[in-house]
Every structure is written in structure tokens, then in C-alpha cells.
Amino acid sequence: MKPSELKDLRIAIVGGGYGGAAAAKALQNIGAENVHVYEQATKLTQIGAGIGLRPASMDLFRQWGIFDTIAAVSTPSDQLNILSADGKTVIAQEPWPGLNDYEVKTHCHLIHRGDFIDALLSTLPEGMVHIDHKLVKIEDKGNEAELTFENGNVVTADVVIGADGIRSTVRKQLFTDAEPVFSGEHAYRAVISMDDSLGLAPDNNPRFYMGDDGTVAYNLPLRTRNELSYDITAKSDDASWAPDVTIDDIVATIEGFEERIVEIAKNLDITKVTSRAVFDIDPVDTWHSDCVALLGDSAHAMLHHQGQGANSAIQDAGGLADAFANEATVAEALAAYQAERKPITDHLQKISRQGWAAHSVESAFPGQDK
Ligand SMILES: Cc1cc2nc3c(=O)[nH]c(=O)nc-3n(C[C@H](O)[C@H](O)[C@H](O)COP(=O)(O)OP(=O)(O)OC[C@H]3O[C@@H](n4cnc5c(N)ncnc54)[C@H](O)[C@@H]3O)c2cc1C
């Protein structure tokens, strides 16, 4: 679409997580000025844990002019290390895919979730993000859609992007009412001071300690905060969204693991541990109409085994902006966006369902290039 058409296009993004914020930035970058993000929360935060922003995501940030903002609060990493549970055997040690694919070496950046959303939102113009806007109803009228929020506000837009996460209202009301699928796993996440990390992070690279039964303890150094993101994924039958666990329960999941991993678990403050059952969704057949499209977890929530959920949401944002820049109409842009992104995210959803087991690791990045 021409910049003059994009400038006034009424774009409403539902959800102010990584996907929604990245989509707003990417669309603003191609000249869209009438972009509004509607977020249900009254405060924009993310839980205390780290994630890895792949080189391909960092390259998009470079294109959007926000690389330095993200880099300032993150830790550049060269490679991923996978070790046996006891830490005695190196199973895989591989550079991040895409590291050398760009004009300058582009690392994977490890970042605290809160720092990432703060940094991303800080690059958006004031007034673009509207908190306390929980979408309760969406009506697709063909060439525009009407959004009704719990606070009584009603908004009509030429384009609606449903970036409202794994339990998406937009997906449920317009595309499929299939429920998220429980993986049989819990994720326990905490952030500890590097001073209490017992030397687990000698360099800037994440270390995954992998058991044979699907349990993984992994850590990501967050140098700009002098902290370590300390994470455990373990099997469980309890599918409650935020399971109630004790320190003893957590320690029991990592019996026989590297001594320092166990020691740190014993010293965790349970009130600062985030405990979540892990879900994904089955691939959604069609995630767009002529004026509404899904993006990020709402379109393709995947298990975190390959660390690709947030990265995919960011790539969706880049793909969406490319489609709007290249296609003549909104309907064509949304179709082109899905055609470009869905084969990739279908593949990532599939490989992310492969379990974690030390004996079967062939590569740190199975089935992935940059
Ligand atoms: C344990 C774990 C580890 C992970 N590690 C990684 C990793 O290392 N790398 C990686 O790339 N990914 C990782 N992920 C995945 C990543 O967290 C998600 O893929 C990512 O957060 C998806 O972003 P999103 O913006 O699509 O959805 P969300 O982050 O869920 O954001 C959705 C937003 O929409 C809002 N919302 C929801 N409903 C409404 C409504 N009705 N009205 C208005 N607003 C609404 C929500 O409040 C939220 O702010 C991990 C996930 C887990 C569980």
C-alpha cells in the first residue's frame, strides 16, 4: 500500500505483549500513524525471567532503528550450551543460527522479560498504547471490524491485529474455539542475583542441564542487571494455569542434577518463583479475514523448547509490515502475511512439541536455520 494510504489506515492491535508492541513498531516504521494498541492490564509488565532474542529478531530491531535500545538492557551471547543433568558431559555447544548472516555479527541477546517489554514500549509514541482495555467482543464486518471493550469503549478499525496471547479472544470469537493443549509440564522461573549464582555463569551463554525424562534446568545470564535467570521445566500432571508448588516440590524435580543447580533451588524464595503449567495450541487453519489477523501466541502459541515463541511474534510483526508495504489492499496484505509466516510457525510449533531428553539430542537447534 502507498505511504499515503498507510498513514491514515485505522489499525487496532489487541494485546500489548511482545507481539502487539512489535507489530505497532513495525507498522509505524512503514508509515502507519493511526495505530492503537489496546491492552487489558492496568500496568504493562512481564514476569521475572529471561528470554533469548535471536539474531534474526535483533536484525529486525536494527531495521526498525531500535537495536541500541534493546541492546542496552540485554546480554549478547554467541552460543547455546547443552549439558548432561549432572553437568559432567557437554551434549551440544552450537553458535546461534544466524549469528554471521548479517553485515555485522549479530548475537542472540538475553534479556529480562520486564526489561524487554519496557524497552519495546519506550520506542512507541506516547498515546499509542491504551491500558485497561480488555476486549470482550469483536465483530468482523468485512472491510472493517468493531471492538467492544469491558470498560464500555467501542472502536472501529480498518485492520485489527489480534496479538492477545495463547487464550486469545479474537481467535476464539472469529477463527476457532479450540482450547490450548496442556504439555504435561510445569515451568518454574526465578531471577537471582549473580552474587548467589555459585559461579554457574562463567560467560555470556545460556546453559541447559538436560535430564532424560523431560526435565531441564537452564540459566541465562542477565549481565546488565547482574542477575541470572534460573529456570526449570519438569513433567507434571497438574494442568492448573498457575500451580501451587513448594521449594521441596521444585527440588524433587531436579534430584541428581548438578550440585549448584540443586543448591540454588533450595535457597529460592518461593514467593519470587513463577510457577506455570505449559500449554501450546494446535495449528490454526486460517488466521486472517479481509480485515482481521492473528499474530504471535494467539496465532501459533508453541512450547518453549526451542525458545521461539517471542521470536516468532517479532518475526510476524516484520512479516506483517512487509506485507502492508508490498500489497495493494488490506485483504491482500493479510493473506500475504499468513502465506509468508504460517509455514514457518507451523514447522516451529511441530518441532517445539519434541520433548527434551539428553539421550536424543542431535542438535541444539533441530530443524532451524536463522
Ligand atoms: C517457560 C517459558 C519460556 C519461554 N521462553 C522463551 C524464549 O526463550 N524465547 C522466546 O522467543 N519465547 C519464549 N517463550 C514464549 C513467549 O513468552 C511467548 O511466545 C510470547 O510472550 C508471546 O507474545 P505475545 O505478545 O504473542 O503474547 P503475550 O505475551 O501473551 O501477550 C498477549 C497480551 O495480550 C493481552 N490480552 C490478552 N487478552 C486480552 C484482551 N481480551 N484484551 C486486551 N488485551 C488482552 C495480555 O494481557 C498480554 O499483554 C517462553 C514461554 C514460556 C511459557
Side-chain angles (χ1 to χ4, degrees):
M1 294 175 73
K2 297 190 195 96
S4 56
E5 292 167 325
L6 285 168
K7 184 172 172 285
D8 296 323
L9 198 67
R10 295 169 302 166
I11 302 177
I13 298 173
V14 183
Y18 305 138
K25 187 72 220 170
L27 292 167
Q28 192 205 6
N29 195 48
I30 55 162
E33 289 181 11
N34 196 355
V35 181
H36 293 271
V37 180
Y38 300 97
E39 164 59 43
Q40 65 181 359
T42 48
K43 201 166 164 256
L44 291 157
T45 53
Q46 288 275 346
I47 62 159
I51 60 168
L53 298 171
R54 295 288 184 95
S57 298
M58 294 306 295
D59 184 60
L60 274 183
F61 298 148
R62 188 181 287 125
Q63 293 173 34
W64 301 343
I66 63 171
F67 182 98
D68 290 346
T69 308
I70 308 294
V73 288
S74 58
T75 304
S77 158
D78 286 314
Q79 66 177 29
L80 177 65
N81 301 310
I82 300 181
L83 304 143
S84 56
D86 62 9
K88 291 184 179 150
T89 309
V90 176
I91 296 174
Q93 203 165 54
E94 291 171 34
W96 293 99
L99 195 74
N100 295 309
D101 287 1
Y102 306 99
E103 254 176 50
V104 288
K105 188 171 181 180
T106 304
H107 294 89
C108 175
H109 281 245
L110 312 179
I111 191 164
H112 186 280
R113 286 172 166 270
D115 290 346
F116 181 35
I117 197 65
D118 287 350
L120 208 47
L121 291 169
S122 75
T123 69
L124 299 178
E126 210 162 304
M128 190 181 266
V129 180
H130 308 268
I131 56 173
D132 200 8
H133 275 70
K134 179 177 182 171
L135 179 82
V136 289
K137 188 172 163 219
I138 177 164
E139 217 177 321
D140 187 332
K141 298 184 170 177
N143 60 354
E144 62 180 23
E146 188 177 273
L147 306 175
T148 305
F149 297 95
E150 197 175 57
N151 62 13
N153 285 353
V154 177
V155 168
T156 303
D158 303 311
V159 185
V160 174
I161 303 302
D164 49 345
I166 187 167
R167 291 187 280 185
S168 166
T169 300
V170 179
R171 185 183 71 235
K172 223 175 269 177
Q173 293 191 8
L174 295 186
F175 298 104
T176 168
D177 58 5
E179 290 294 328
V181 181
F182 177 49
S183 67
E185 292 173 343
H186 283 180
Y188 309 123
R189 291 177 280 181
V191 175
I192 62 168
S193 166
M194 200 56 95
D195 302 338
D196 299 328
S197 67
L198 309 178
L200 268 184
D203 53 35
N204 281 359
N205 299 313
R207 283 174 167 69
F208 280 50
Y209 295 81
M210 200 168 282
D212 263 327
D213 67 343
T215 304
V216 175
Y218 58 99
N219 56 71
L220 283 71
L222 305 171
R223 296 285 173 209
T224 54
R225 306 170 65 101
N226 193 35
E227 287 179 340
L228 186 72
S229 178
Y230 175 92
D231 306 67
I232 295 169
T233 299
K235 293 279 176 202
S236 175
D237 294 334
D238 177 1
S240 38
W241 204 259
D244 212 2
V245 292
T246 63
I247 291 295
D248 286 347
D249 294 333
I250 294 176
V251 171
T253 67
I254 47 169
E255 201 188 327
F257 273 60
E258 220 266 22
E259 281 171 18
R260 293 172 298 175
I261 301 271
V262 179
E263 199 53 34
I264 289 173
K266 286 182 182 163
N267 292 325
L268 287 173
D269 173 352
I270 195 66
T271 63
K272 297 199 172 126
V273 176
T274 307
S275 161
R276 291 277 182 280
V278 183
F279 292 81
D280 68 0
I281 61 172
D282 290 325
V284 177
D285 289 339
T286 303
W287 72 37
H288 74 93
S289 68
D290 285 350
C291 64
V292 182
L294 303 178
L295 181 146
D297 273 13
S298 69
H300 47 62
M302 56 188 77
L303 301 185
H304 60 297
H305 297 166
Q306 301 302 327
Q308 286 281 21
N311 284 291
S312 295
I314 294 157
Q315 292 301 318
D316 286 354
L320 184 71
D322 286 348
F324 272 106
N326 295 333
E327 302 298 328
T329 65
V330 168
E332 284 166 2
L334 297 184
Y337 155 67
Q338 172 174 316
E340 167 71 20
R341 292 295 303 149
K342 189 166 151 53
I344 299 169
T345 58
D346 280 355
H347 173 67
L348 289 173
Q349 279 184 291
K350 192 168 154 201
I351 61 170
S352 296
R353 276 192 175 167
Q354 288 168 17
W356 271 326
H359 63 268
S360 62
V361 173
E362 284 171 7
S363 154
F365 308 106
Q368 293 169 71
D369 52 23
K370 72 179 176 176

